[in-house]
Amino acid sequence: GAGVSQSPRYKVAKRGQDVALRCDPISGHVSLFWYQQALGQGPEFLTYFQNEAQLDKSGLPSDRFFAERPEGSVSTLKIQRTQQEDSAVYLCASSQRFLNTEAFFGQGTRLTVV
Amino acid sequence: SQQGEEDPQALSIQEGENATMNCSYKTSINNLQWYRQNSGRGLVHLILIRSNEREKHSGRLRVTLDTSKKSSSLLITASRAADTASYFCATDAFYNQGGKLIFGQGTELSVKP
């Protein structure tokens, strides 16, 4: 595809529900990132993949958050037992290399936990 | 936690005027990048400046980097209403592996026609 694609664009979950957010990066991009953006704030790093390897998950806020990229392409961010503080926009980005390169962002998934 | 601090938080100007946004950061970096975000949309990359560069231009954008002061500025010349957006600086810290970005809080720019 032409850009990074994320689905769904919007998700409303009841507190305690599990959700799965999908990211299709640009074909051939080695690096994939997930960020969380609260309203009125800058994005905050969650986790990073180089191909299928998850090299950095230091930003995941709790063990309820889990990300995978099993074949080095599509990635899924899963949040178990959602809580209200998980409400945010989740952004996925990919880049061609892993140093001194721009990141291409998807439109994001807006998660609202009610 | 966010590394960058941006100043001002909000800026309102008339079309045709120049807009300057500043960013400060805390650690040594590989590069610093600026992104634009329109309301409800994803981020769009504007420009990347490496740690050994001092100034870079791209169209109406001019970015400076002062690593001794750990600061950067983004200048948009001859602004247009379409430039209305939030602007974020993001640093790729020297100790990182893989290009993870640390974003500032952003500057909300409003350009009035």
Side-chain angles (χ1 to χ4, degrees):
Chain A
V4 177
S5 177
Q6 291 187 246
S7 60
R9 285 292 315 278
Y10 303 92
K11 176 70 180 177
V12 178
K14 290 186 177 176
R15 197 160 60 107
Q17 189 178 351
D18 297 349
V19 298
L21 312 179
R22 178 187 167 105
C23 173
D24 280 86
I26 294 173
S27 178
H29 278 196
V30 168
S31 299
L32 185 145
F33 306 84
W34 284 98
Y35 292 86
Q36 180 190 59
Q37 186 175 23
L39 191 64
Q41 303 291 313
E44 294 216 9
F45 170 80
L46 294 177
T47 186
Y48 158 65
F49 291 86
Q50 188 173 321
N51 296 307
E52 69 278 4
Q54 189 175 21
L55 298 186
D56 187 343
K57 53 182 180 179
S58 60
L60 296 177
S62 78
D63 58 8
R64 296 186 296 103
F65 286 71
F66 171 76
E68 59 183 7
R69 192 187 186 197
E71 295 176 2
S73 178
V74 171
S75 177
T76 304
L77 176 66
K78 297 179 180 177
I79 309 172
Q80 297 177 322
R81 305 181 303 282
T82 53
Q83 300 178 6
Q84 281 194 316
E85 61 262 31
D86 300 335
S87 295
V89 175
Y90 291 86
L91 295 165
C92 175
S94 69
S95 61
Q96 203 166 21
R97 304 186 305 272
F98 50 88
L99 188 62
N100 284 328
T101 185
E102 66 181 284
F104 293 84
F105 281 80
Q107 300 275 50
T109 294
R110 181 178 296 278
L111 173 65
T112 304
V113 181
V114 297
Chain B
S1 63
Q2 295 181 304
Q3 156 153 246
E5 289 189 8
E6 293 183 63
D7 160 52
Q9 287 192 320
L11 179 61
S12 182
I13 59 175
Q14 294 294 131
E15 219 170 17
E17 293 180 340
N18 295 342
T20 300
M21 289 160 263
N22 303 296
C23 168
S24 60
Y25 58 91
K26 296 174 186 169
T27 64
S28 296
I29 59 172
N30 292 318
N31 65 71
L32 184 144
Q33 304 180 34
W34 286 89
Y35 286 82
R36 183 185 73 211
Q37 185 176 39
N38 290 87
S39 181
R41 312 286 291 271
L43 285 90
V44 174
H45 180 265
L46 296 176
I47 199 162
L48 180 154
I49 186 165
R50 299 186 184 205
S51 60
N52 61 353
E53 297 175 311
R54 292 296 165 257
E55 188 170 312
K56 205 159 181 182
H57 297 253
S58 175
R60 292 184 297 113
L61 306 180
R62 173 178 165 251
V63 168
T64 61
L65 178 65
D66 186 336
T67 52
S68 67
K69 294 180 180 177
K70 291 188 167 57
S71 68
S72 173
S73 67
L74 171 68
L75 168 68
I76 304 174
T77 59
S79 63
R80 305 166 183 168
D83 295 330
T84 294
S86 293
Y87 291 81
F88 295 92
C89 70
T91 51
D92 179 356
F94 185 72
Y95 56 80
N96 276 347
Q97 62 173 341
K100 152 185 165 183
L101 295 173
I102 307 297
F103 284 84
Q105 302 272 42
T107 293
E108 198 171 320
L109 174 65
S110 173
V111 181
K112 300 187 186 313

